[in-house]
């Protein structure tokens, strides 16, 4: 890959594609490591690095920091996360040549540029043209003609030399219209083709396209139905917005709900709560489960295993953060929901009396995720290496979720709950094999993750919104639901006070947690199947079936604990 020096313009680089929609960028990314740089419409034309990693297309916005002009220094700096660069080519060179991950959360590495085919499109409207219009003949040289018929012969004379790379492209059957000149066509063509091919300039005729942006013509020819066109058929053009074709989506036109700005309320006065609010997603047709399913269907479990293996732990952690933010009411809260609960965030609702339903939902989600994680290990009936690999995968996911990385502490608590479940910890041979074959993961679990989880459960540990996107709310939820604090009286009282203080601090910092979560999810585009697989409703149906999912939570928990105990005994029977 040839990357220019810092002073050169990035527009001339082969990896820069100019205005390009997200969908077309993803179609160009075929293998892991493929990347390109494009101008994003939804980001106001800011550069975005699109990269395929672990089977998913990821998009990273490059921030441009403007500087006060001074001699000897650049006018702007470019950055992805922390380090800033004097130019976009310098940034790309650093990440590609050094094989550095574009983000610590995803671990995505850009290694193979996707070269641009043809000249850079000048607008997003050209990006939406059909392929037949996008690959048209270059503009013919054109001379200024007089009002005499003899002067028109210059319009149809082919050029002696091909146009330069900056020449505009129009259909071969039409000539560009400039200024107030009428449009002359050789043969009738469809209305849409002519409308999108016409361009205007500043009234001067050029052999090349003008450097200023093209303007939309106000006149165009209608379909002449086989008759030769005449000047009297010029009619005003009516602008219209065309939607995407059937079966295609237009992701650039809408901002994802987790990136949408929170609605500003003019009056921040107290609003009396209307009712308890649930953030559970409504029941929708599943792309992984049928309308009626049995518990632990083998085909679905096999599909899920392949789905999780295809994603890097950092990518899975971002998927989990996205669903946890929705389930906690940190992102995606509507104005109607805020009006109903009287506060603006689920982190505030948790501490209030009418947050009872939300507390129960979050505690059920925590336990359900932990059961599913334990099943991922105990369901491996194959060789010992397979179970040790499943343990390693959970440890790597926990490392990706910890503070300072993705910072999803509810997700971290669920994964650690799976690893610390008695049915999993008793597998001595499996843990011994993990320490022997995956020493780094075993050390991270023992020396970092276990002490961190113990501290979080005691109401201590990291809680700053700078390194945490979503705080650990399970201790406060259990306490407010009447669960007693274990341990001696003096220790339990101290732990209770710490937990209550942390809950008040979390409610106060709810806006900062929302900003931290939105910052980590900026540019993230989730996999729909993996996103569904991490929702509470899907896991409920997966573990207990469509009929058993409606049973009381305590009954379902007791039943599945017995299932895990049987699986654990089959893997490593008691001596």
């Amino acid at each position: 890959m040839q990357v220019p020096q810092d002073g050169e313009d990035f527009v001339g680089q082969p990896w820069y594609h100019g205005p390009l929609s997200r969908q077309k960028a993803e179609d160009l990314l075929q293998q892991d490591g493929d990347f390109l740089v494009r101008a994003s419409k939804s980001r106001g034309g800011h550069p975005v690095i699109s990269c395929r990693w672990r089977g998913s297309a990821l998009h990273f916005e490059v921030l441009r920091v403007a500087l006060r002009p001074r001699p000897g220094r650049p006018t702007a700096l470019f950055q992805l996360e922390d380090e800033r660069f004097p130019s976009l080519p310098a940034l790309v060179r650093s990440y590609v040549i050094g094989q550095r991950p574009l983000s610590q959360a995803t671990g995505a590495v850009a290694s193979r540029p996707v070269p641009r085919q043809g000249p850079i499109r000048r607008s997003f409207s050209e990006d939406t043209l059909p392929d037949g219009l996008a690959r048209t003949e270059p503009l013919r040289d054109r001379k200024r003609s007089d009002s005499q018929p003899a002067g028109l012969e210059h319009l149809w004379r082919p050029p002696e030399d091909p146009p330069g790379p900056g020449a505009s492209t129009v259909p071969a059957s039409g000539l560009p219209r400039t200024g107030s000149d009428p449009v002359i066509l050789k043969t009738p063509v469809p209305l849409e083709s002519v409308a999108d091919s016409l361009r205007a300039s500043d009234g001067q005729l050029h052999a090349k396209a003008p450097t200023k942006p093209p303007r939309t013509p106000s006149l165009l020819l209608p379909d002449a139905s086989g008759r030769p066109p005449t000047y009297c058929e010029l009619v005003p053009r009516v602008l219209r917005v065309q939607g995407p074709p059937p079966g295609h989506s237009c992701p650039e036109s809408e901002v994802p709900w987790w990136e949408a700005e929170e609605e500003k309320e003019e009056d921040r006065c107290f609003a009396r709560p209307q009712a308890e609010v649930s953030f559970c997603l409504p029941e929708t047709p599943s792309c992984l489960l049928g309308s009626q399913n049995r518990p632990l269907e083998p085909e679905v479990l096999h599909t899920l295993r392949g789905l999780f293996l295809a994603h890097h732990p950092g990518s899975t952690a971002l998927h989990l953060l996205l669903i946890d933010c929705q389930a906690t009411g940190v992102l995606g809260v509507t104005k109607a929901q805020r009006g109903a609960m009287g506060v603006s965030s689920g982190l505030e609702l948790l501490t209030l009396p009418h947050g009872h339903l939300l507390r129960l939902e979050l505690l059920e989600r925590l336990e359900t995720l932990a059961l599913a994680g334990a099943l991922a290990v105990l369901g491996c009936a194959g060789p010992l290496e397979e179970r040790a690999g499943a343990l390693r995968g959970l440890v790597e996911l926990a490392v990706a979720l910890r503070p300072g990385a993705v910072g999803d502490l509810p997700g971290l608590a669920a994964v650690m709950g799976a690893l610390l479940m008695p049915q999993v910890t008793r597998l001595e041979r499996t843990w011994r094999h993990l320490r022997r074959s995956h020493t780094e993961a075993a050390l991270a679990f023992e020396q970092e993750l276990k002490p961190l989880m113990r501290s979080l459960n005691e109401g201590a540990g990291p809680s700053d919104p700078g390194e945490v996107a979503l705080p650990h709310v399970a201790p406060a939820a259990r306490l407010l639901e009447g669960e007693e604090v274990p341990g001696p009286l003096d220790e339990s009282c101290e732990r209770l006070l710490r937990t209550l203080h942390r809950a008040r601090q979390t409610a106060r910092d709810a806006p900062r947690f929302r900003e931290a979560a939105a910052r980590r999810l900026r540019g993230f585009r989730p996999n729909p199947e993996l996103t569904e697989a991490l929702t509470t409703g899907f896991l409920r149906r997966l573990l207990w079936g469509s009929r058993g999912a409606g049973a009381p939570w305590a009954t379902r928990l007791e039943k599945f604990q017995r299932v895990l105990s049987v699986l654990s005994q089959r893997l490593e029977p008691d001596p």
Side-chain angles (χ1 to χ4, degrees), residues 278-327:
S278 171
F279 296 107
C280 283
L281 296 175
E283 291 291 337
T284 56
S286 172
C287 59
L288 298 173
L289 294 173
S291 58
Q292 299 292 327
N293 70 288
R294 298 173 62 85
L296 306 179
E297 291 186 350
E299 297 82 1
V300 180
L301 293 176
H302 179 74
T303 301
L304 291 176
R305 177 175 175 81
L307 188 63
F308 281 96
L309 289 176
H311 285 77
H312 187 270
S315 176
T316 305
L318 286 176
H319 283 81
L320 193 55
L321 172 64
L322 177 65
I323 300 301
D324 284 338
C325 286
Q326 186 277 327

Side-chain angles (χ1 to χ4, degrees), residues 301-527:
L301 293 176
H302 179 74
T303 301
L304 291 176
R305 177 175 175 81
L307 188 63
F308 281 96
L309 289 176
H311 285 77
H312 187 270
S315 176
T316 305
L318 286 176
H319 283 81
L320 193 55
L321 172 64
L322 177 65
I323 300 301
D324 284 338
C325 286
Q326 186 277 327
T328 312
V330 173
L331 295 176
V333 182
T334 65
K335 186 175 182 179
Q337 288 174 324
R338 291 198 299 269
M341 62 186 181
V343 290
S344 59
S345 171
L347 295 178
E348 300 173 85
L349 181 62
L350 276 170
T351 63
L352 302 177
H354 56 287
H356 168 71
L357 180 59
L358 177 60
R359 291 191 290 268
L360 293 183
E361 289 175 353
L362 293 180
L363 292 176
E364 178 184 352
R365 172 169 176 77
L366 173 65
E367 295 292 342
T368 304
L369 279 171
L371 294 176
L375 178 66
V377 177
L378 300 175
C380 297
L384 185 62
E385 174 62 29
E386 185 180 1
R387 292 199 299 278
L391 281 178
R392 176 194 175 188
L394 288 178
V395 172
E396 290 178 345
L397 178 57
V399 170
L401 291 165
R402 75 188 191 282
V406 172
D408 180 8
L409 299 191
L412 173 64
V415 176
M416 290 299 295
L419 292 170
L420 297 174
M421 201 167 289
Q423 294 91 332
V424 177
T425 56
R426 63 172 298 277
L427 302 178
E428 296 182 2
R429 291 194 302 118
T430 306
W431 285 99
R432 192 181 307 119
H433 193 280
L434 176 73
R435 289 189 287 269
R436 183 170 59 252
S437 302
H438 310 289
T439 307
E440 185 177 353
L443 289 176
F445 176 72
E446 294 291 342
Q447 299 181 3
E448 179 182 356
L449 296 176
K450 287 177 68 173
L452 172 64
M453 201 67 242
R454 188 182 307 112
S455 176
L456 292 173
N457 286 331
E458 292 176 353
S463 63
D464 183 73
E467 59 179 340
V468 174
L470 200 57
H472 186 39
V473 297
R478 292 192 181 100
L479 183 63
L480 295 173
E481 287 302 309
E483 184 176 321
E484 295 185 1
V485 181
L489 182 60
D490 53 346
E491 295 181 4
S492 62
C493 288
E494 184 178 354
R495 181 174 172 181
L496 183 147
L497 292 176
R498 284 200 306 267
T499 302
L500 292 177
H501 174 72
R502 179 64 57 86
R504 289 193 295 268
Q505 188 179 23
T506 297
R508 183 192 62 202
D509 293 338
R512 297 178 60 198
F513 283 116
R514 184 191 185 280
E515 294 175 0
R519 185 168 58 250
R520 282 170 168 82
L521 293 171
R522 184 180 302 150
F524 174 63
R525 295 299 176 264
N527 179 284

